[in-house]
Amino acid sequence: DAKTTQPPSMDCAEGRAANLPCNHSTISGNEYVYWYRQIHSQGPQYIIHGLKNNETNEMASLIITEDRKSSTLILPHATLRDTAVYYCIVRVGGSSNTGKLIFGQGTTLQVKP
Amino acid sequence: GAVVSQHPSRVICKSGTSVKIECRSLDFQATTMFWYRQFPKQSLMLMATSNEGSKATYEQGVEKDKFLINHASLTLSTLTVTSAHPEDSSFYICSARDGQGTSEQFFGPGTRLTVL
C-alpha cells in the first residue's frame, strides 16, 4: 500500500497562498492522490484529487510531479476558516471499486491573521 | 458536493448496552460505504467497508462481532456497537461513494459516542 508523508504542522498568513507538500514515493501507476481536510470535530471534507495531471477546482489546486512521487496542495488565498488538518491520501486499490482511503497523520494548517 | 448524514450526532450510553449509528446518503446511491473511528488527537482509522447487499469487510484488528455493520439499501448503512465499554468511546464517521471507482468519497459529520 502506498503511504504518504506530510509535515505535521504549518503556518500561513491570512490572504497568502498555502502550499502543503506531500510525499508518496511508493505510489503505483493507477493510484489516485486525494486531499481532504478536517475541521475540529467534523467529518473530513473532500478538496480535490488527481492521477497524473495538475487539477484545479474552486477550492484548491493540486500539483503532481511528473514522476508522481510527490504533490502539493495549494490554497490560493488562505482564510482563517481554512485552519484545519489536511490529509494527503493515496487511494489503496487504485481506481477499482474496491479502492479505499487510508488516512495518515496529516498536516495541521494554522492560518494566522 | 453530495451529502452524507449521520444519526445521532452524539450519544451517551451505559457500559454493556448496544448503540446503533445510522449513515445515510441523501442525494446519491451509495454502493459502497465505509466506517471509520477517530480517537482524540489521532487520525481516522478505517474499520470496515461495506457494499450494498453484501457482508462487510473488516480491517485487521476490528472485531466483526462487536461492530455489526448492515448495508441493506443504497442509501443506508448502520453500525451497531454491541456491549459497549468505555474504551469504545470515540468519534465514529461514515463515508459513502457511488458506483464509479474514481468518484469522490463523501464523509458524514460523525457521531460522538461516550460510554460511561
Side-chain angles (χ1 to χ4, degrees):
Chain A
D1 297 347
K3 293 183 179 178
T4 61
T5 304
Q6 298 177 253
S9 63
M10 291 182 64
D11 289 343
C12 177
E14 188 179 18
R16 304 297 293 271
N19 296 283
L20 292 92
C22 179
N23 286 322
H24 31 78
S25 59
T26 59
I27 193 169
S28 298
N30 66 342
E31 291 179 327
Y32 283 73
V33 178
Y34 282 76
W35 283 83
Y36 283 79
R37 72 180 182 184
Q38 186 180 28
I39 296 170
H40 183 62
S41 294
Q42 298 182 25
Q45 177 190 20
Y46 167 82
I47 301 174
I48 200 167
H49 74 283
L51 181 63
K52 295 180 181 178
N53 300 321
N54 298 335
E55 302 288 343
T56 296
N57 62 22
E58 63 279 3
M59 288 184 68
S61 294
L62 174 60
I63 308 298
I64 302 174
T65 58
E66 192 169 340
D67 63 8
R68 304 214 320 124
K69 293 185 177 182
S70 65
S71 61
T72 301
L73 178 74
I74 301 173
L75 307 179
H77 305 287
T79 69
L80 298 179
R81 287 181 295 180
D82 292 322
T83 292
V85 180
Y86 286 76
Y87 295 99
C88 168
I89 304 165
V90 171
R91 186 164 129 176
V92 175
S95 60
S96 72
N97 278 336
T98 59
K100 53 189 179 184
L101 301 178
I102 304 298
F103 284 74
Q105 294 307 306
T107 295
T108 299
L109 175 68
Q110 181 74 47
V111 181
K112 297 184 174 181
Chain B
V3 178
V4 175
S5 70
Q6 283 184 242
H7 177 79
S9 59
R10 186 180 295 268
V11 58
I12 300 173
C13 70
K14 293 182 178 180
S15 185
T17 61
S18 294
V19 175
K20 180 184 284 187
I21 302 170
E22 291 187 351
C23 175
R24 294 181 185 272
S25 57
L26 298 185
D27 50 3
F28 68 103
Q29 294 187 326
T31 55
T32 306
M33 285 186 166
F34 305 86
W35 285 95
Y36 292 81
R37 179 169 57 180
Q38 185 176 32
F39 292 109
K41 299 189 185 299
Q42 294 187 22
S43 186
L44 284 76
M45 185 195 80
L46 179 64
M47 299 174 68
T49 302
S50 72
N51 291 293
E52 185 265 336
S54 302
K55 288 185 177 180
T57 302
Y58 290 81
E59 295 296 307
Q60 191 172 11
V62 179
E63 299 175 59
K64 62 180 181 181
D65 294 330
K66 180 168 184 63
F67 300 100
L68 302 178
I69 293 172
N70 183 281
H71 189 171
S73 78
L74 286 172
T75 60
L76 173 65
S77 176
T78 60
L79 168 69
T80 301
V81 183
T82 62
S83 187
H85 292 285
E87 58 265 30
D88 298 322
S89 298
S90 188
F91 193 47
Y92 291 86
I93 307 170
C94 75
S95 181
R97 190 174 70 211
D98 66 22
Q100 299 178 31
T102 58
S103 64
E104 301 165 24
Q105 186 171 320
F106 299 97
F107 286 80
T111 296
R112 176 76 57 191
L113 170 64
T114 302
V115 184
L116 302 177

